[in-house]
Amino acid sequence: MIWILLLVLLLGAVYGPGLWVQRVMRRYAEPGNRYPVTGGQLARELLDGCGLNRIRVERTERGDHYDPQAGAVRLSAEHYDRRSLAALTVAAHEVGHALQHTAGYGPFVWRQRLVRAVGRAQQLGAVLLLAAPVVAGVLRVPGVAALFLLGGVLSLGSGVVVHLVTLPTELDASFRRALPLLRRSGYLYPDVDPPHARRILSAAALTYVAQSLASLLNFWTWLRVLRPGP
C-alpha cells in the first residue's frame, strides 16, 4: 500500500504542475474574441511602446517563448491570432522577457547561460545512458556501468534543477514587468480581469518547470531501453 501511495505522490509531483498550467490556459482561451487586439498585436504594441521596435513578433509551432539570440517574441497560433485573456496575458509575459534582456537583468542573463550548459549536459547524459550497457558488457565491471547510469540520469534531470533555480526570473517577467504593461495597455476590464490575469501569469511562469518535471518520465523510457533482455 505504501508503494502505491508513493507512486501516486510521485506522479502528482511530476504531472500536477503541468496539468494545472494546461487547465488555466484552457479556461482563459475562451472567449477567443473578447478584446479588440490579438496576442500578436498586443505584443507588437507593447514592444513599440517600450522602444523595442527592433524585436520581432512571430508565430511559432514550438511554444510561446522569447528568443534572445534572434531578438524575437514567438507565440503559438492560439495566442498569436486569438483575442482571449490567455492570448493577451501570455504575449505580455514574453514581452516581459524581452524587457529583461534589454535591461541586462542579471538573473535572465545567467538563466540563458545555464540553459545552454544544461543542453550540453543532457546530451552527455543521453550518451552515458546509452554507453552504460556497453561498458557493463565490455568491462564487466558493474560499478562502472552503474556510475555511467547515475551520471546519465543526473545529467538528464539537470533541466528541472535549472528551471526551479531560475523560477524567480519567470515570476519577475510575469508580475514585475508583464502585469504593469497589461494594466497600462487599457485592454483589460479593470473590475474583472486582473485576478484572472494573475492566475495566467502564474501558469506562464511555471510552464518551463512543468515541462521539465514531465520530461523526467523520459527516464523510464531510457531504463526500458537499457534493461537487458531475457
Side-chain angles (χ1 to χ4, degrees):
M1 182 63 184
I2 186 66
W3 292 109
I4 295 176
L5 178 60
L6 289 174
L7 178 60
V8 171
L9 291 175
L10 175 62
L11 291 176
V14 170
Y15 277 124
L19 292 174
W20 182 77
V21 168
Q22 292 175 22
R23 179 176 177 273
V24 169
M25 293 303 178
R26 283 197 303 267
R27 177 179 179 182
Y28 295 109
E30 299 295 340
N33 58 351
R34 179 178 172 84
Y35 304 95
V37 294
T38 66
Q41 290 169 338
L42 177 67
R44 181 72 274 155
E45 184 177 317
L46 294 178
L47 289 167
D48 291 346
C50 294
L52 301 181
N53 312 74
R54 68 184 183 281
I55 295 179
R56 304 190 305 276
V57 180
E58 301 173 346
R59 188 188 291 105
T60 183
E61 297 180 357
R62 299 181 57 190
D64 308 291
H65 64 281
Y66 168 65
D67 186 338
Q69 278 72 44
V73 167
R74 293 184 176 136
L75 302 172
S76 61
E78 62 181 324
H79 294 147
Y80 186 94
D81 296 317
R82 292 173 66 82
R83 302 168 187 265
S84 66
L85 182 57
L88 268 62
T89 306
V90 169
H93 173 83
E94 300 306 335
V95 170
H97 283 309
L99 292 176
Q100 289 176 330
H101 183 210
T102 302
Y105 180 60
F108 176 84
V109 174
W110 277 104
R111 198 268 290 275
Q112 295 306 115
R113 294 174 181 172
L114 287 172
V115 167
R116 288 194 292 270
V118 163
R120 292 190 290 269
Q122 290 179 328
Q123 290 175 344
L124 175 62
V127 171
L128 290 174
L129 285 173
L130 288 171
V134 177
V135 170
V138 173
L139 299 181
R140 300 192 180 279
V141 181
V144 175
L147 286 176
F148 270 61
L149 182 61
L150 178 61
V153 169
L154 292 176
S155 297
L156 288 174
S158 60
V160 179
V161 176
V162 167
H163 289 308
L164 284 173
V165 169
T166 60
L167 182 57
T169 303
E170 292 291 329
L171 294 173
D172 176 89
S174 280
F175 296 106
R176 187 165 169 258
R177 302 175 195 270
L179 189 57
L181 288 175
L182 281 170
R183 286 172 170 165
R184 290 198 298 268
S185 73
Y187 293 120
L188 297 188
Y189 297 97
D191 297 331
V192 179
D193 287 345
H196 301 295
R198 283 181 170 274
R199 193 169 295 117
I200 298 169
L201 287 170
S202 296
L206 282 172
T207 296
Y208 289 117
V209 174
Q211 290 173 348
S212 294
L213 286 169
S215 71
L216 284 175
L217 293 183
N218 288 339
F219 290 168
W220 297 109
T221 302
W222 284 109
L223 290 175
R224 284 199 300 271
V225 171
L226 297 173
R227 186 175 57 193

